[in-house]
Amino acid sequence: MKGWHKKAIVYQIYPRSFCDSNGDGIGDLRGIISKLDYMQSLGINTVWLNPIYKSPNDDGGYDISDFFSIQPEFGTMDDFDELLAGLHQRQIKLVMDLVLNHTSDEHPWFQESRKSKDNPYRNYYFWRPGKNGAEPNNWPSFFGNNAWELDKTTNEYYLHLYSRKQPDLNWEYAPLREEIKKIIRFWATKGVDGFRLDSISTISKRIDFPDTTFNDFGQTVKAFFSNGPKLKEFIAELSRDACKDLVTIGEGPGLEAEDALLYLDEKEGLSMIFHFDHMFIDHGPRGRFDPRPWSLSEFKKIFYEWDQALGYQGWGSIFLGNHDFPRMVSRWGDDQQYHEKSAKLLITLLLSMRGTPFIFQGDEIGMTNFVMKSIGDSKDIETINGWRTAQGRGWSEETFLEKANQAGRDNARTPVQWDAATNSGFTSGISWMPLNPNFDRINVETQDQNPDSVLNYFKEMVQLRKVNSLFTEGNYEPVEGDENLFLFTRGKGDEKILVALNFTSQEIDLPKRVGKLEKLIGNYPGNSDRMRPWEAVIFKTLP
Ligand code: TEU
Ligand code: CA
């Protein structure tokens, strides 16, 4: 059944770092099963699971070598079936993560494809001869270096927009599209409720492969990788033939608001998309390790513009962090003095915005960025390759480490902090990734016992959103005020609420014109005429 996604409150699980059941230091499916009651206690009604398929794990499982089996480190197909049943028993839907832009180079299709120019699988990928003894064009990959890799066997290059172990699939080739439909049907038959389609914005290539004319990576993604000539056609075909009753959430790096509408359609398109305009707000020309300053005004404008563009035709996905970005409280809040206040403020924003909210594991307790002491601590291909590129430009380790600690993906991937015991209750063995040392203070067990904790505030906000349809159905209007306040109303019929968020550690006045208000929820006790540091309040507006 479609349509449920508008009422979804999604909890994102990164399996490797969620909970380890067998002491090998790696989170797994039985670990997730052991936390089903916890998920239910949060009040969420949907889980998005990052990839759990068989994978050499070059890129955290986004390099799939078998779409029909479970990564042995994560468990078995029986474990999966039990997890799905356990979720459904609790009225929680499951959204799987599917990577269809590329496979692992260890996938049998690619193993065949690389063998000879006339292999039946040759066309599953993009193979091109070199140009004047070099790569076919100048496209950079997301993870540094050129996006083409020379393969000795046939002396041709294959395309990889991500790592060289992630060759891009050729959607132009109809037999490949049929294989993809089989994968979707296999999981749909098991009863999964939907898919988050990884990097779906890049599946249709400009097959003449023109050189990029931009130095700015983000512009290259927009103009050359994403939004390709057959994207609409490919998405429509997939939706018609394989995703009929499934909710689909397209991950859309490089998509602009106007393009997004082309791909959102109840029947012949995606149910929702993830855009990245706010998530790339501080990325400079060379991406995340090349930061540029950002302002709250810009940030607010992005939310407004997307809401306007999607209107009531499409539907938005609201998120402030995931497995690819720093922790939301460290990035948009103050993870030191105002840790608790700002974590609650961001939860207020997530759960009161128009669109479907996605919360990443650990953000419900305000987990923070992890400070690596050397690049050797990084487990992420993007950081490791980024460091290689940075070295080529003469950067010192200290300089790069500072950027990686601010912007890298490792930040989101440290294990979930369950309690204050050894290894935070994540594993009884040696964790695959270091724990954030603050788990003695920031953990589920401690917060569960404290009525004022971030965790309990999260649960309250979830309940508020669930009982009041204004949060899902109401329209969204920005309200003018101090530039450091994020103010907006949600309204439906005669009912209206005002969401007021102070994104600074200074006190700021609310604008005079807001009228009579009654507080519904907030992160400070009592009322104040001024917004206190990192204060978040939702008011009911009174006539
Ligand atoms: O990410 C694709 C994407 O949007 C990239 O811009 C992303 O921000 C990435 O971190 C590169 O900077 C998806 C997955 O979420 C990511 O984990 C994978 O590495 C990537 O696709 C390749 O499958
Ligand atoms: Ca394990």
Side-chain angles (χ1 to χ4, degrees):
M1 266 311 109
K2 293 206 179 213
W4 56 265
H5 60 285
K6 295 189 179 174
K7 287 198 175 137
I9 300 175
V10 189
Y11 186 68
Q12 184 196 343
I13 295 184
Y14 192 74
R16 192 165 284 271
S17 307
F18 191 65
C19 181
D20 172 25
S21 71
N22 63 351
D24 66 355
I26 297 171
D28 47 50
L29 298 181
R30 300 221 66 83
I32 303 176
I33 292 171
S34 74
K35 300 294 180 188
L36 280 168
D37 290 339
Y38 172 70
M39 287 177 233
Q40 191 172 32
S41 77
L42 294 176
I44 56 96
N45 55 20
T46 307
V47 160
W48 154 25
L49 206 54
N50 284 110
I52 53 165
Y53 318 91
K54 195 151 182 252
S55 161
N57 198 31
D58 181 58
D59 178 23
Y62 282 90
D63 47 322
I64 300 171
S65 55
D66 180 358
F67 290 94
F68 301 99
S69 62
I70 305 288
Q71 172 78 336
E73 287 166 329
F74 290 162
T76 65
M77 195 57 89
D78 285 345
D79 295 332
F80 174 80
D81 292 339
E82 192 180 323
L83 171 60
L84 180 60
L87 287 166
H88 284 170
Q89 265 162 28
R90 291 166 180 79
Q91 269 74 53
I92 299 173
K93 302 214 187 279
L94 178 65
V95 170
M96 304 273 286
D97 204 327
L98 198 53
V99 190
L100 303 173
N101 177 70
H102 46 267
T103 65
S104 164
D105 65 339
E106 296 180 34
H107 192 289
W109 298 339
F110 190 74
Q111 293 294 315
E112 284 298 317
S113 187
R114 76 189 334 173
K115 279 184 184 161
S116 67
K117 290 184 187 172
D118 56 5
N119 187 283
Y121 288 88
R122 190 67 170 180
N123 279 329
Y124 274 46
Y125 299 87
F126 292 103
W127 292 97
R128 291 291 184 277
K131 219 166 154 183
N132 312 321
E135 289 87 355
N137 75 13
N138 68 356
W139 289 6
S141 86
F142 276 88
F143 298 145
N145 295 334
N146 189 280
W148 294 93
E149 179 78 6
L150 182 63
D151 201 48
K152 292 266 160 56
T153 317
T154 55
N155 207 31
E156 283 195 333
Y157 291 82
Y158 65 86
L159 177 72
H160 62 90
L161 295 186
Y162 294 89
S163 98
R164 62 165 73 105
K165 284 185 67 63
Q166 295 168 300
D168 279 56
L169 285 166
N170 176 9
W171 279 65
E172 304 283 328
Y173 190 55
L176 180 264
R177 300 203 298 277
E178 292 310 312
E179 301 267 17
I180 285 172
K181 292 172 201 169
K182 283 186 213 156
I183 299 168
I184 293 190
R185 290 186 197 119
F186 172 83
W187 293 98
T189 306
K190 285 193 165 287
V192 311
D193 304 284
F195 288 98
R196 176 253 190 203
L197 300 171
D198 189 68
S199 201
I200 203 73
S201 51
T202 62
I203 58 170
S204 163
K205 309 293 194 262
R206 286 163 180 76
I207 51 171
D208 51 338
F209 295 111
D211 277 332
T212 172
T213 45
F214 296 106
N215 291 322
D216 182 299
F217 184 66
Q219 282 183 300
T220 294
V221 174
K222 280 191 176 166
F224 292 91
F225 295 177
S226 148
N227 217 17
K230 292 195 184 154
L231 185 55
K232 192 176 162 72
E233 189 182 317
F234 292 156
I235 289 177
E237 181 182 325
L238 198 68
S239 310
R240 257 193 328 261
D241 296 357
C243 301
K244 258 210 186 85
D245 296 322
L246 299 168
V247 161
T248 48
I249 311 160
E251 196 214 20
L255 284 193
E256 314 247 14
E258 6 4 314
D259 314 324
L261 265 186
L262 294 173
Y263 312 118
L264 290 164
D265 187 302
E266 301 265 338
K267 283 204 197 75
E268 299 222 329
L270 305 167
S271 320
M272 292 188 270
I273 71 148
F274 283 117
H275 77 81
F276 290 94
D277 282 353
H278 60 314
M279 299 307 274
F280 294 164
I281 196 171
D282 56 354
H283 290 193
R286 286 174 179 147
R288 70 175 69 214
F289 302 123
D290 176 24
R292 67 172 196 89
W294 65 280
S295 70
L296 190 69
S297 307
E298 262 178 282
F299 185 79
K300 292 188 277 193
K301 202 164 148 233
I302 291 168
F303 279 90
Y304 180 55
E305 282 178 355
W306 273 87
D307 190 76
Q308 288 264 294
L310 297 185
Y312 287 84
Q313 237 179 299
W315 194 253
S317 315
I318 308 298
F319 71 113
L320 295 169
N322 66 23
H323 64 293
D324 290 334
F325 293 94
R327 282 285 171 185
M328 73 174 187
V329 69
S330 303
R331 187 174 192 194
W332 315 113
D334 170 352
D335 67 5
Q336 301 294 311
Q337 194 185 349
Y338 292 104
H339 170 260
E340 178 226 306
K341 296 289 181 223
S342 63
K344 289 178 178 172
L345 173 138
L346 295 166
I347 286 168
T348 314
L349 174 60
L350 257 181
L351 289 162
S352 61
M353 184 58 69
R354 183 158 164 275
T356 294
F358 289 74
I359 183 109
F360 181 60
Q361 66 182 33
D363 282 348
E364 77 276 24
I365 56 170
M367 277 179 64
T368 65
N369 275 359
F370 168 67
V371 184
M372 298 188 290
K373 292 189 188 66
S374 80
I375 303 297
D377 288 347
S378 175
K379 301 276 189 242
D380 178 26
I381 181 164
E382 188 176 31
T383 299
I384 295 165
N385 287 5
W387 167 224
R388 217 170 287 147
T389 313
Q391 270 172 306
R393 293 198 189 108
W395 287 32
S396 69
E397 177 164 359
E398 203 190 347
T399 311
F400 184 75
L401 194 60
E402 191 198 311
K403 316 277 181 213
N405 278 335
Q406 241 166 55
R409 306 196 297 183
D410 294 284
N411 285 308
R413 300 179 182 185
T414 60
V416 170
Q417 299 166 195
W418 295 104
D419 56 40
T422 325
N423 296 327
S424 83
F426 164 70
T427 180
S428 58
I430 298 165
S431 170
W432 75 280
M433 213 185 149
L435 280 128
N436 192 316
N438 64 20
F439 73 83
D440 56 340
R441 287 185 295 115
I442 302 174
N443 65 67
V444 170
E445 193 181 61
T446 311
Q447 293 200 13
D448 196 37
Q449 291 155 6
N450 171 6
D452 286 334
S453 65
V454 177
L455 177 63
N456 280 312
Y457 185 85
F458 175 74
K459 292 184 191 174
E460 269 180 69
M461 267 307 302
V462 168
Q463 288 316 317
L464 191 63
R465 188 177 172 98
K466 276 171 138 177
V467 297
N468 192 337
S469 62
L470 198 72
F471 286 89
T472 28
E473 293 163 19
N475 63 15
Y476 166 88
E477 293 283 350
V479 173
E480 288 294 320
D482 188 286
E483 61 174 334
N484 290 314
L485 295 180
F486 197 156
L487 300 170
F488 58 91
T489 58
R490 302 291 314 276
K492 190 188 151 199
D494 307 333
E495 259 190 291
K496 204 179 209 180
I497 55 168
L498 170 72
V499 180
L501 311 167
N502 178 0
F503 268 79
T504 71
S505 39
Q506 270 83 55
E507 293 199 354
I508 304 179
D509 285 322
L510 275 176
K512 292 276 174 301
R513 291 167 286 102
V514 291
K516 263 179 100 185
L517 303 169
E518 181 191 305
K519 181 173 160 185
L520 283 179
I521 191 170
N523 62 356
Y524 276 85
N527 289 303
S528 153
D529 292 340
R530 316 192 75 191
M531 294 288 292
R532 291 163 279 191
W534 293 98
E535 181 161 8
V537 201
I538 300 183
F539 299 102
K540 201 178 151 133
T541 66
L542 301 174

